[in-house]
């Protein structure tokens, strides 16, 4: 099956995805930025369930660190066949009056530039044009790209709009090279990300406004990602799955 790289695989949606991909038979490269303990915990959980995984540190917004991460994957000798661009950040909820260039650029550097860099390196390895055996990419976007996150983090929402356009454009660019590129747009999912916005309990505060009246679990998003990467989705590219409880 080859290697599946999951950026931000150490917790939340990335962690759930890494565990499920290992169960499907991939060797999982668990990328993380700061928390080596969490990443090692995912590798151990995968190993305990009989799978194969290794942790790889890289700040995806830093081109040299991204290159080093892909070099480390190459050194395993196993081909990269799947990429889940999942690592993402947001900051304290605010309105536009409190947004400054430094924050906006940090959000875009990770959520957009980081996704581009990882896509570029994955395409170089997967593409038939470069002698690769093909592969699949899933970009984790957000329902915020449709809804805009007003009064919370429009900068984050806009970064996810860019991710969606990347997914559409890249899917068309590499469709004839054996690579499928799709996106998922989660809604309110129970992870630690909401604490970064200053409201750890955000999902429970707003869930009653959702058609399904509940938040989602990381595993529910992971299932969609795993399906999009699988042969069961062999004729699907440039598509988006909404995982937002109907919103
Ligand atoms: P999370 O729990 O906050 O986890 C974020 C992960 O990304 C961590 O593993 C973190 O690693 C890693 N990370 C952050 N910055 C990084 C960087 N520069 N380089 C490499 N890794 C980095 O997030 P989550 O809620 O699971 O979200 C995962 C994805 O789903 C994100 O793209 C997010 O925008 C999207 N999403 C989430 C929700 C939701 O409700 N949770 C909704 C819609 C979309 P360290 O801990 O080591 O720093």
């Amino acid at each position: 099956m080859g290697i599946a790289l999951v950026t931000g695989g150490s917790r939340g949606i990335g962690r759930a995805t890494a565990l499920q991909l290992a169960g499907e038979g991939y060797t999982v490269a668990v990328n993380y930025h700061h928390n080596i303990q969490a990443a090692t915990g995912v590798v151990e959980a995968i190993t305990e369930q009989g799978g194969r995984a290794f942790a790889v540190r890289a700040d995806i917004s830093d081109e040299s660190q991204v290159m080093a991460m892909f070099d480390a994957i190459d050194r395993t000798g196993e081909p990269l066949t799947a990429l889940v661009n999942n690592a993402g950040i947001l900051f304290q909820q605010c309105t536009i009056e409190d947004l400054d260039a430094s924050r906006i650029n940090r959000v875009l550097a990770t959520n957009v530039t980081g996704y581009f860099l990882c896509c570029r390196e994955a395409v170089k390895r997967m593409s038939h044009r470069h002698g690769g055996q093909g592969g699949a990419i899933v970009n984790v976007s957000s329902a915020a790209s449709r809804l805009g996150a007003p009064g919370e983090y429009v900068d984050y929402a806009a970064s996810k709009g860019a991710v969606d356009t990347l997914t559409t454009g890249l899917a068309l660019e590499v469709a004839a090279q054996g690579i499928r590129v799709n996106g998922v747009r989660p809604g309110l999912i129970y992870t630690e990300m909401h604490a970064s916005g200053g409201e750890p309990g955000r999902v429970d505060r707003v869930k009653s406004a959702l058609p399904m009246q509940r938040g989602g679990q990381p595993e529910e998003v992971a299932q969609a990602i795993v399906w999009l990467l699988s042969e069961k989705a062999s004729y699907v590219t440039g598509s988006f799955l909404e995982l937002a409880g109907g919103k």
Side-chain angles (χ1 to χ4, degrees):
M1 308 242 355
I3 292 181
L5 168 62
V6 182
T7 67
S10 56
R11 49 177 227 236
I13 292 168
R15 181 182 197 279
T17 304
L19 286 164
Q20 290 185 25
L21 286 172
E24 294 297 314
Y26 289 95
T27 300
V28 183
V30 179
N31 161 256
Y32 68 100
H33 185 196
H34 293 114
N35 192 341
I36 188 169
Q37 257 187 321
T40 308
V42 176
V43 171
E44 282 170 2
I46 288 173
T47 311
E48 274 163 28
Q49 72 182 26
R52 293 180 308 278
F54 58 94
V56 55
R57 187 189 175 282
D59 174 353
I60 59 158
S61 70
D62 181 319
E63 190 163 21
S64 60
Q65 292 186 37
V66 170
M67 301 291 282
M69 172 168 68
F70 279 84
D71 285 348
I73 290 170
D74 290 344
R75 284 197 297 276
T76 66
E78 205 176 345
L80 179 79
T81 54
L83 165 66
V84 183
N85 259 324
N86 166 78
I89 55 168
L90 51 73
F91 294 109
Q92 181 67 38
Q93 295 172 3
C94 69
T95 55
I96 198 159
E97 289 91 331
D98 291 319
L99 284 179
D100 59 29
S102 147
R103 164 172 160 162
I104 296 164
N105 288 335
R106 279 178 72 190
V107 169
L108 296 178
T110 298
N111 296 7
V112 182
T113 307
Y115 276 42
F116 265 91
L117 295 173
C118 291
C119 281
R120 183 190 72 195
E121 293 308 308
V123 165
K124 283 184 190 169
R125 285 156 179 82
M126 294 172 178
S127 157
H128 292 162
R129 192 148 67 109
H130 295 284
Q133 63 179 56
I137 297 172
V138 171
N139 290 327
V140 181
S141 173
S142 171
S145 78
R146 292 184 283 110
L147 303 170
E152 294 189 327
Y153 13 71
V154 174
D155 52 346
Y156 166 82
S159 77
K160 295 302 189 177
V163 166
D164 288 351
T165 305
L166 162 65
T167 300
T168 299
L170 186 62
L172 296 170
E173 193 166 297
V174 298
Q177 296 176 38
I179 306 172
R180 297 182 299 102
V181 186
N182 292 291
V184 293
R185 285 194 281 250
L188 288 162
I189 312 299
Y190 287 100
T191 74
E192 293 168 49
M193 175 173 253
H194 305 285
S196 309
E199 192 185 1
R202 176 170 173 262
V203 176
D204 283 331
R205 174 176 63 85
V206 293
K207 67 182 181 187
S208 60
L210 299 178
M212 287 178 74
Q213 306 211 319
R214 69 168 180 89
Q217 296 298 332
E219 291 74 17
E220 296 180 286
V221 181
Q223 284 166 189
I225 295 170
V226 171
W227 180 78
L228 283 169
L229 291 174
S230 77
E231 273 306 299
K232 290 177 184 159
S234 55
Y235 204 49
V236 182
T237 199
S239 292
F240 298 89
L241 276 178
E242 310 290 343
L243 296 138
K247 185 151 184 195

